[in-house]
Amino acid sequence: MNAIPSLDTLQVFVKVAELSSFTQAALSLGVPKASVSTAVQRLEAALGTRLFHRTTRRVQLTQDGQACLERCLDLLSELTDMQTMFQPSASGLNGRLRVDIPLRLARDLVTPALPAFFQAHPGLELELSSTDRRVDVVREGFDCVLRVGPLNDSSLVARPLGALEMVNLASVGYLQQHGEPRTLDDLARHQLIHYTPLLGQRSSGFEWQDGQGVQHFVPMAGGLTVNNSEAYMGACLAGLGIVQVPRRGNDGEVHGGRLREVLPDYRAAPMPVHLLYPHRRQLPRRVQVFMQWLADLMAPRLIPLSSRDAVAN
């Protein structure tokens, strides 16, 4: 009978999977590389399967390795919860959180509020990914992600928070040069800054939603396509064209006179906002607490989610 893997062995495996490197895992754990290799080999022997594809240039999880990683993360998370469940509540929450939040929300909303969060929960450690790409929640080991926009079908659990109301903005300098569009027909004489998560694709154009909730698109010219929110707003401030962005979060530039709303009767559909997390038998309390904190933080920016957008992921 194969021996049951030790806790240390599981932790070593998870670290190698996270860093995709035996060498980096050894440095992170402060142990010899040979010890890391031995621990993984023992785990593979105990499970009777290969967990990593190893080459001279990279280490990548096999399909069985990915399944093992998900289970290990659950087990280690549950162990951490068990270690603290009988401690006095004054000891607070402990452990690590890995979360992903869109770039501008992380910069403008979440990061400024983190000092108060850490003051309330000094025992927690947070790994914050802030990117506009859609991370692989399970493969990359995230506890939860905040996602803005339509959801794709997946095995994740989706907690709807609300929606971000949209506006059309252009810089004052752009409008002085090109004039202000008053109708959809006027857009033929204007530039749209195109946004797409994957360069090489083309956006559908200027989006607007009618009174029945039907979305329409007006193809527009535009010399610039970007794939992240920082470049998107930077291009707008530079006077390169019209953008369609959440209203809350861009109030400063509008009220400061740098940007102006155009075509207020032709706004894009509100963008749904969800918290996503992997299926687990019991969500660790630290994750529950963080998600509730994030939901409360987002609440003032959100409007109610319409029934057509409240689709489980």
Side-chain angles (χ1 to χ4, degrees), residues 14-217:
V14 168
K15 186 59 67 175
V16 174
E18 288 177 349
L19 300 177
S20 298
S21 168
F22 284 82
T23 300
Q24 293 301 317
L27 291 173
S28 177
L29 295 169
V31 299
K33 180 181 177 182
S35 299
V36 172
S37 298
T38 299
V40 171
Q41 290 168 4
R42 287 176 177 170
L43 181 58
E44 289 179 325
L47 298 177
T49 188
R50 192 173 185 84
L51 300 175
F52 292 104
H53 294 299
R54 302 167 176 85
T55 69
T56 56
R57 302 185 63 179
R58 63 179 303 184
V59 175
Q60 186 176 11
L61 285 167
T62 64
Q63 185 173 357
D64 287 343
Q66 181 62 56
C68 182
L69 175 61
E70 296 171 23
R71 190 71 184 101
C72 283
L73 290 172
D74 283 345
L75 289 171
L76 294 173
S77 177
E78 290 168 7
L79 179 60
T80 300
D81 287 349
M82 185 176 70
Q83 289 172 332
T84 59
M85 67 185 296
F86 299 113
Q87 297 176 6
S89 58
S91 65
L93 300 173
N94 294 281
R96 186 192 66 181
L97 288 161
R98 176 177 289 185
V99 303
D100 179 77
I101 297 170
L103 187 57
R104 282 180 63 86
L105 284 173
R107 186 197 69 180
D108 298 338
L109 180 66
V110 177
T111 303
L114 281 177
F117 178 80
F118 282 125
Q119 186 174 9
H121 307 288
L124 289 180
E125 298 177 11
L126 178 65
E127 292 183 357
L128 175 60
S129 165
S130 52
T131 174
D132 287 339
R133 75 176 179 90
R134 294 206 164 188
V135 300
D136 188 317
V137 178
V138 175
R139 186 179 66 81
E140 298 180 56
F142 285 97
D143 292 296
C144 66
V145 303
L146 184 71
R147 189 153 290 172
V148 177
L151 297 178
N152 299 320
D153 291 336
S154 78
S155 61
L156 302 176
V157 180
R159 173 182 171 183
L161 300 184
L164 290 167
E165 189 177 19
M166 303 294 287
V167 291
N168 312 308
L169 298 179
S171 72
V172 172
Y174 173 87
L175 295 174
Q176 289 173 346
Q177 182 178 356
H178 298 276
E180 182 173 343
R182 304 289 183 180
T183 69
L184 293 176
D185 290 338
D186 291 342
L187 292 177
R189 299 186 295 274
H190 284 269
Q191 296 283 307
L192 182 71
I193 301 170
H194 295 277
Y195 180 96
T196 175
L198 183 63
L199 291 180
Q201 297 178 343
R202 186 71 169 177
S203 71
S204 300
F206 182 91
E207 177 190 348
W208 64 282
Q209 180 176 257
D210 64 26
Q212 285 68 50
V214 179
Q215 291 175 263
H216 305 268
F217 294 91

Side-chain angles (χ1 to χ4, degrees), residues 150-153 158-160 272 274 276 305-313:
L151 297 178
N152 299 320
D153 291 336
R159 173 182 171 183
H274 293 81
L276 305 181
L305 194 64
S306 68
S307 58
R308 56 181 168 269
D309 291 324
V311 178
N313 197 33

Side-chain angles (χ1 to χ4, degrees), residues 1-10 39 42-48 72 75:
M1 179 181 295
N2 293 328
I4 297 175
S6 68
L7 175 61
D8 289 342
T9 297
L10 298 183
R42 287 176 177 170
L43 181 58
E44 289 179 325
L47 298 177
C72 283
L75 289 171

